[in-house]
Amino acid sequence: MKLLEFLKRERKKSASVAKERLQIIVAHQRSQRGQPDYMPMLERELLEVIRRYVHVGDDAIQISLDSEDNCSVLELNVTLPKSERD
Amino acid sequence: MAKIIVVTSGKGGVGKTTSAAAIATGLALRGKKTVVIDFDVGLRNLDLIMGCERRVVYDLVNVIQGEAGLNQALIRDKRVENLFILPASQTRDKDALTQEGVEEILDTLKETFDYILCDSPAGIERGAQLAMYYADEAIVVTNPEVSSVRDSDRILGLLSSKTRRAVQGDDPIKEHLLVTRYNPERVTQGDMLTLDDIREILAIDLLGLIPESEAVLRASNQGVPVTHDADSDAGQAYTDTVSRLLGEDVPLRFHEWQKKGLLSRMFGGGRR
């Protein structure tokens, strides 16, 4: 029975894998559009500073800049590991 | 009023120069006075694709630096009336291009030409940004392949932020998608992104679809833009593309795979 299922299972077409990967990466790229050029550098340096005090992974920090009419808000989210929260 | 159109892609090797040469040729064949400018300073190739490499005397950088007049640098195409080529420099470094110099050349060309095509270098550096800066429209050349589609999206980001129209808050650049090297057989097999996939991801208007074709290499070997090969699929696809650029409503061709029948397999089904 297992063998039959294995034989019947169709290999996922590579083009649909490509499409899914592209949709994710393009959405990510677009979220960064219009941001100032210094943002990746700022993100890296903030991560370095945080790491002097807490051990966090590369994806522990999320940074975004939103502009409204007359001010910009820099939003910084850092996920700290459970053991180091105190 | 002349239209400035940049042919760009981000990724290299997807068919920018082939497309710029083919579309410029197509526009001139339709009676539009057209000039195609090679912005790839240091790695010029448009002259080879257009078959005028032995007639290059002065180039874009010579004109910008005042060593030659624009009319001395423009090369008249041997095959089509109304078609001119402005070659890139081969030796100088990329900083030889200045924004003011480019603007001055484009302003002069605008007085006499209907269409000015800017063949962008690959990448997103200075040369590519200068090629797109003054554009009214952009043709984004994309292969059905992940890195090309991703880079095209990056280019779309630059077009909407780093061009004169974006900086000055004018009407945005009109963006066109040109899919090249499309292989309907592989699409049918599920191993190539479909045209609809690419359109959905990039979300810009489709200008044309060029099938993967032996005619393209044949054309570049001979230095004759593929538009002249009117029997070939790629030549016809570029002619359709030019018609759409001129605002005509032309149905899409060459996007579906026709399984070869016994007869055509035995006798060969036309030129590809």
Side-chain angles (χ1 to χ4, degrees), chain A residues 11 13-16 18-19 21-23 25-26 29-30 33-34 37, chain B residues 146 149-150 153-154 156-157 162 189-193 197 200-202:
Chain A
R11 185 172 61 97
K13 296 293 186 190
S14 70
S16 59
K19 186 183 180 186
R21 293 174 62 214
L22 272 170
Q23 280 172 324
I25 194 70
V26 164
Q29 272 178 190
R30 289 192 182 160
R33 250 185 218 175
D37 295 338
Chain B
V146 283
V149 177
R150 178 200 211 172
D153 180 71
R154 291 273 281 136
L156 290 174
K162 305 266 185 189
Q189 290 162 351
D191 280 329
M192 183 176 270
L193 287 165
D197 291 342
E200 188 187 326
I201 291 164
L202 293 178

Side-chain angles (χ1 to χ4, degrees), chain B residues 54-253:
Chain B
R54 294 176 63 184
R55 293 194 290 143
V56 175
V57 183
Y58 296 110
D59 57 54
L60 184 59
V61 173
N62 291 135
V63 180
I64 284 179
Q65 301 197 331
E67 297 156 354
L70 190 52
N71 286 326
Q72 288 175 288
L74 284 175
I75 303 172
R76 183 188 288 271
D77 188 78
K78 278 183 294 191
R79 296 180 188 83
V80 199
E81 223 183 323
N82 290 326
L83 179 57
F84 292 81
I85 300 112
L86 184 53
S89 157
Q90 205 170 21
T91 49
R92 318 249 190 145
D93 66 308
K94 290 187 171 127
D95 296 330
L97 281 190
T98 62
Q99 185 158 314
E100 300 73 36
V102 170
E103 182 174 19
E104 214 180 303
I105 288 179
L106 291 176
D107 280 345
T108 312
L109 291 172
K110 267 178 153 179
E111 289 166 15
T112 46
F113 284 91
D114 299 318
Y115 283 90
I116 302 168
L117 260 69
C118 303
D119 180 21
S120 171
I124 54 173
E125 304 297 319
R126 194 181 148 76
Q129 295 199 13
L130 270 178
M132 70 169 65
Y133 191 77
Y134 295 101
D136 302 306
E137 300 189 15
I139 298 175
V140 180
V141 183
T142 307
N143 287 171
E145 184 268 325
V146 283
S147 52
S148 174
V149 177
R150 178 200 211 172
D151 289 357
S152 291
D153 180 71
R154 291 273 281 136
I155 284 292
L156 290 174
L158 291 181
L159 286 168
S160 61
S161 64
K162 305 266 185 189
T163 50
R164 180 164 69 172
R165 281 174 176 268
V167 172
Q168 294 186 348
D170 299 338
D171 289 339
I173 287 188
K174 204 166 162 189
E175 299 156 338
H176 307 278
L177 173 64
L178 180 65
V179 176
T180 56
R181 308 196 73 163
Y182 195 73
N183 185 330
E185 186 176 355
R186 301 213 69 189
V187 171
T188 308
Q189 290 162 351
D191 280 329
M192 183 176 270
L193 287 165
T194 70
L195 182 61
D196 288 338
D197 291 342
I198 302 169
R199 294 175 75 172
E200 188 187 326
I201 291 164
L202 293 178
I204 55 173
D205 285 339
L206 181 72
L207 180 69
L209 173 125
I210 314 299
E212 176 133 72
S213 168
E214 292 163 11
V216 172
L217 181 59
R218 211 158 45 220
S220 79
N221 285 342
Q222 296 170 313
V224 181
V226 72
T227 322
H228 286 295
D229 190 352
D231 294 332
S232 70
D233 49 1
Q236 292 172 11
Y238 275 115
T239 302
D240 289 357
T241 301
V242 168
S243 301
R244 291 190 200 102
L245 197 57
L246 293 172
E248 292 163 26
D249 195 10
V250 182
L252 205 61
R253 293 193 274 174

